[in-house]
Amino acid sequence: MVTEALEFLVRSIVRNPDDVRVTERSGRRGTTLNVVVNPDDLPRVIGRRGRTAQAIRTVIDAISRDEVRVNIVDVA
């Protein structure tokens, strides 16, 4: 559920929604969600001074039940 919500949020922001991929990895410190976007869309996802990325992390933290980290990667 959290992965789908994150993918929906990021796809609604970027110009190339088909390039968005979200992968989930579990570890000792909880779950890590890696968001892969087109390099041209990276500034849109990060936002000014990281405000958009922080807002995405806040929303995901609010809807998740466990500890979840969100990493944004520009490799497409």
Side-chain angles (χ1 to χ4, degrees):
M1 178 180 132
V2 177
T3 306
E4 293 86 11
L6 177 60
E7 188 171 348
F8 177 78
L9 283 172
V10 175
R11 281 180 183 260
S12 65
I13 295 172
V14 298
R15 289 189 176 149
N16 301 308
D18 294 335
D19 293 342
V20 175
R21 285 180 288 142
V22 178
T23 58
E24 183 176 346
R25 193 179 74 186
S26 297
R28 288 182 290 150
R29 297 172 62 180
T31 304
T32 302
L33 299 175
N34 291 319
V35 180
V36 179
V37 297
N38 190 312
D40 296 336
D41 291 327
L42 192 61
R44 293 173 86 45
V45 175
I46 294 175
R48 288 192 180 187
R49 296 187 183 188
R51 289 182 184 160
T52 305
Q54 187 59 41
I56 291 170
R57 289 182 178 111
T58 301
V59 169
I60 295 303
D61 188 41
I63 65 173
S64 66
R65 295 181 181 157
D66 300 324
E67 183 70 24
V68 176
R69 296 175 177 266
V70 177
N71 293 331
I72 300 170
V73 185
D74 67 343
V75 180

